[in-house]
Amino acid sequence: RMRTVLALLSVVALCVACSAMGSHSDDASAHRAHEAYVTAINSNDLDAILGMFTDDVVLLSPGEPPIVGKAAVRPWVDGYLKAFKTHWDKTISEFVVNGDWAFERYAWKSTDTPRGGGDVVRDTGWGLLIYHHDADGKWHVARDAWGTDHTPSAK
């Protein structure tokens, strides 16, 4: 009986160890998704940015209604990229992976240079990203919500 209990404990320990090893590599690939997303944004390439999103992505941008789905996001991102050459720095404050989902809390700093000339626009803020590990084996942005550190001016 004791040998059976020890054998079962050994199997459980092995399963836990294997699970932890798999989870560790998923954590690393999820963290790489952060860098891939920032790189895509800073490429100023519409297709690179859209390639980071799930089909049902939701963007929650300050002062705007939610933008739901890649088809709706496309013209929004395209308009932004036509108006500005952008550069974003996103610093991770918290990153949690749980199975096929991960979330990241971040701080950001953006520099937008108007393509038609004019003053460079700089801003800082906070954000929350939710990633999903999709069937293609990659982590994609499912939700991106962000806000500015500055109080909006009265209209």
Side-chain angles (χ1 to χ4, degrees):
R1 189 164 185 349
M2 181 59 117
R3 212 178 333 196
T4 303
V5 170
L6 288 175
L8 281 172
L9 287 175
S10 296
V11 169
V12 168
L14 181 62
C15 288
V16 168
C18 289
S19 172
M21 287 189 301
S23 162
H24 178 71
S25 65
D26 287 345
D27 286 1
S29 66
H31 277 84
R32 285 192 299 274
H34 165 87
E35 289 304 321
Y37 188 36
V38 173
T39 298
I41 292 168
N42 291 336
S43 74
N44 287 266
D45 180 89
L46 177 64
D47 291 329
I49 296 169
L50 292 175
M52 289 301 304
F53 296 138
T54 60
D55 289 337
D56 65 346
V57 66
V58 177
L59 297 185
L60 300 168
S61 176
E64 298 187 66
I67 306 167
V68 181
K70 196 183 281 192
V73 167
R74 174 182 279 282
W76 186 87
V77 173
D78 189 44
Y80 179 69
L81 295 176
K82 284 180 178 170
F84 299 99
K85 180 177 186 330
T86 193
H87 181 88
W88 285 62
D89 293 307
K90 292 187 178 195
T91 304
I92 298 171
S93 304
E94 179 182 18
F95 202 105
V96 176
V97 179
N98 187 357
D100 286 340
W101 293 93
F103 76 83
E104 167 189 331
R105 190 169 51 87
Y106 64 91
W108 58 266
K109 179 173 65 171
S110 67
T111 305
D112 290 333
T113 304
R115 293 195 184 268
D119 294 337
V120 171
V121 180
R122 299 179 199 285
D123 201 359
T124 60
W126 53 268
L128 182 67
L129 273 166
I130 300 174
Y131 297 94
H132 186 257
H133 192 247
D134 288 338
D136 66 2
K138 296 180 182 175
W139 288 92
H140 294 276
V141 174
R143 306 291 184 266
D144 191 356
W146 66 96
T148 181
D149 288 334
H150 310 289
T151 305
S153 58
K155 291 185 178 183

